[in-house]
Amino acid sequence: MKRVLNATRVAALIGDFDRSPAYEGVAHGLRDLIIAGRIPTGIRLPSERELTEALGVSRTTVARAYALLRELGFLESRQGSGSVAVLPQSDTHRGDHLLRPTDGGVVAGDVIDLTCAAPSPGPGLMRAYERATAELAPYLGGTGYYPSGLPSLRELVAATFTDRGVPTSADQILVVPGALAGLAVAARALLSAGDRVVVESPTYPNAIAALTEAGARVVGVDTSDRGWDPTTMAATIRQVSPRLAYLVPDFHNPTGALIGDEARDIVARELVRGRTTAVVDESMLDVDLDGGPLPRPFAAYAADTITLGSMSKGYWGGLRVGWIRAPRDRMDALIGARLSLDLGTPVFEQLVAIELLQSREETLAHRRTTLRASRDAALSALATHLPDWRVARPRGGLSLWCELPESGASALAREATRHGVLLTPGPAFAPEGGMDRYLRVPYALPPETMTEAVTRIAAAWRETLDLPKGLTTPRRTLVA
Ligand SMILES: Cc1ncc(COP(=O)(O)O)c(C=O)c1O
């Protein structure tokens, strides 16, 4: 059965709208919400009659608004299933609330895809695959099922934690197909429907989806200004008393923030006091572009922490290898949850991961050099073409978190598609709505592509500013 959005909620999301004419105001409000992911694709919108009542407009207004949305490609009306939100089918618009990787950042013709903060593989990858082929033979005699992961990979991963100051043995590591899969396993193991989960706001959209799908009520703590205010974070945790806190303290996606030791300590103490388990996503740890001492892992401050790691950002997302590190007394529950999802990570990819981890320094050094050049090209183009945007220079991670001088990131994302750039605006990262004043600009593409992308974004922004306001700015009234 299709999920249905109720009319009162849709009306609240639309908020005030331009009434000259009203049907266009309603249609454009809905369109912006669909683009920003605030109205998920595939969901059924309320009937014309219900929305008419909720908005306090005439039935003709809603009928014409829906007709316009159908014409623009944002609504499909199917016999028996009502009107369903969709995104227009085109080679160029791949934007979605859930970020989807595309090929090499250039999707069709000359379109630059900045909806995905993930790099393409470095030069060592092919060699690692070749070497792994030579290691495969001994495994072909068995069933190939390793629900917790290959012992040698678990040992290698455990050693990286021990080296970072949190003693870890192989039996505390569960190999999974990526950090997102790790989060889904942890959520399945630890959450019941209705449990509260505190997250940073903004945060990684697919994590919001994974937690919501597990039945969580997600509560965001504002970190839009690139980092934690540990006092606010601790106070929210005290008030909300969440079951879990999903945190990304190392080169956060999208803000790039690296949280210092003192803030980790303050927040961890509050979590321990309230018996909230931290699920800490270290996906971005390998993309430390400038280097220097790193804070201690969060697990060093809260022993009950469940840590997620990944090969995706330092090596390649296509590998689909990540891990969960957890205290021993949590492992049975995690393995049990995992077995209801899948029976293990592919053996061959784990062998590739072993090869890559063994030549870790070399591979990551290359990765850092190329990403530094891309980050700096993007920053310099932003300073030249969009000097009134507020952008910090992150030490690591894969994206710039840009604060625009006024709201309009969703409208900008729409305009940008006409300039051949695909963007994910701030609202996609906001667990509870808002953030239309922010734009994430991932810098995983080559420097010259980043420069060209920013030039196009600047042109699109100039056009966005010229658009009549009420028609373009999505409403941001949600508080869960
Ligand atoms: C914070 C965060 N977690 C998880 C992921 C997904 O990682 P994986 O490919 O390991 O599932 C990403 C990808 O962008 C991310 O930014």
Side-chain angles (χ1 to χ4, degrees):
M1 227 182 70
K2 281 252 167 294
R3 283 195 297 150
V4 189
L5 256 191
N6 91 33
T8 321
R9 170 126 165 112
V10 173
L13 283 168
I14 296 175
D16 291 333
F17 54 89
D18 195 287
R19 287 172 192 263
S20 50
Y23 81 91
E24 270 189 19
V26 173
H28 289 150
L30 286 169
R31 175 195 59 186
D32 288 346
L33 289 162
I34 295 168
I35 289 174
R38 305 284 307 286
I39 294 182
T41 53
I43 208 160
R44 198 165 96 195
L45 292 185
S47 70
E48 290 179 11
R49 185 184 51 74
E50 289 161 339
L51 190 58
T52 299
E53 269 171 36
L55 287 173
V57 294
S58 76
R59 177 81 180 256
T60 323
T61 297
V62 175
R64 290 187 69 185
Y66 276 14
L68 179 57
L69 278 176
R70 268 191 293 275
E71 202 180 301
L72 295 171
F74 289 91
L75 204 61
E76 263 178 26
S77 298
R78 300 172 196 150
Q79 198 77 44
S81 38
S83 297
V84 175
V86 291
L87 281 166
Q89 289 300 315
S90 88
D91 282 346
T92 57
H93 198 125
R94 308 271 299 263
D96 195 342
H97 190 57
L98 300 188
L99 307 186
R100 288 183 181 153
T102 51
D103 306 325
V106 177
V107 275
D110 171 43
V111 174
I112 301 171
D113 186 353
L114 293 186
T115 62
C116 196
S120 46
L125 193 84
M126 199 60 206
R127 249 184 302 130
Y129 270 89
E130 283 159 8
R131 285 201 299 259
T133 312
E135 301 295 324
L136 187 61
Y139 293 90
L140 297 179
T143 64
Y145 285 111
Y146 293 89
S148 307
L150 295 186
S152 43
L153 178 56
R154 296 172 79 195
E155 262 161 37
L156 258 180
V157 172
T160 64
F161 281 101
T162 303
D163 290 348
R164 291 170 58 214
V166 276
T168 304
S169 58
D171 61 354
Q172 291 177 262
I173 302 293
L174 180 60
V175 180
V176 287
L180 183 62
L183 176 59
V185 168
R188 186 173 277 230
L190 297 170
L191 286 178
S192 304
D195 280 350
R196 283 179 291 257
V197 177
V198 160
V199 303
E200 292 131 332
S201 175
T203 193
Y204 173 51
N206 294 8
I208 304 174
L211 292 166
T212 310
E213 283 297 322
R217 283 189 282 157
V218 175
V219 180
V221 180
D222 184 15
T223 54
S224 53
D225 211 18
R226 301 172 189 87
W228 300 354
D229 167 6
T231 317
T232 310
M233 176 86 78
T236 309
I237 290 164
R238 201 171 320 127
Q239 266 165 22
V240 170
S241 208
R243 177 78 195 79
L244 299 183
Y246 168 77
L247 303 170
V248 188
D250 303 283
F251 312 125
H252 182 269
N253 179 9
T255 65
L258 173 66
I259 305 304
D261 281 297
E262 197 186 333
R264 288 178 197 233
D265 186 32
I266 294 170
V267 171
R269 280 174 198 275
E270 190 57 50
L271 293 172
V272 171
R273 200 197 55 76
R275 302 163 82 85
T276 295
T277 301
V279 177
V280 169
D281 188 334
E282 294 186 342
S283 289
M284 295 284 177
L285 191 66
D286 283 334
V287 276
D288 177 5
L289 307 190
D290 297 330
L294 277 168
R296 297 168 73 207
F298 198 85
Y301 292 100
D304 189 37
T305 299
I306 292 178
T307 307
L308 310 176
S310 174
M311 301 289 289
S312 294
K313 308 304 179 188
Y315 304 87
W316 189 41
L319 204 55
R320 306 312 308 138
V321 174
W323 47 85
I324 301 177
R325 176 206 182 268
R328 266 186 211 89
D329 61 1
R330 293 247 181 233
M331 291 307 285
D332 281 352
L334 289 165
I335 293 168
R338 180 294 146 78
L339 289 177
S340 67
L341 286 164
D342 68 8
L343 297 177
T345 310
V347 169
F348 184 60
E349 271 64 20
Q350 294 187 69
L351 292 174
V352 179
I354 292 170
E355 295 295 334
L356 288 167
L357 289 175
Q358 279 165 347
S359 57
R360 184 186 162 79
E361 285 318 318
E362 190 191 324
T363 314
L364 292 183
H366 177 271
R367 164 74 76 230
R368 288 170 187 147
T369 308
T370 53
L371 283 174
R372 260 200 310 268
S374 295
R375 175 195 61 187
D376 295 346
L379 280 168
S380 135
L382 281 163
T384 306
H385 299 292
L386 291 157
D388 56 349
W389 284 23
R390 242 184 99 223
V391 192
R393 182 175 194 270
R395 164 173 158 180
L398 288 162
S399 51
L400 304 175
W401 181 239
C402 307
E403 185 179 350
L404 318 188
E406 57 186 87
S407 266
S410 302
L412 166 62
R414 196 178 58 252
E415 290 303 309
T417 60
R418 297 197 297 107
H419 289 262
V421 186
L422 306 186
L423 296 169
T424 313
F429 301 89
E432 294 166 293
M435 306 262 166
D436 198 44
R437 201 168 165 173
Y438 294 89
L439 179 74
R440 183 186 75 165
V441 176
Y443 48 75
L445 301 178
E448 55 287 0
T449 313
M450 291 314 306
T451 306
E452 173 61 22
V454 173
T455 312
R456 293 184 195 183
I457 293 171
W461 179 238
R462 282 192 294 277
E463 283 173 21
T464 308
L465 290 175
D466 286 342
L467 291 168
K469 283 288 167 293
L471 277 140
T472 58
T473 312
R475 303 298 146 202
R476 301 170 294 116
T477 47
L478 263 198
V479 180

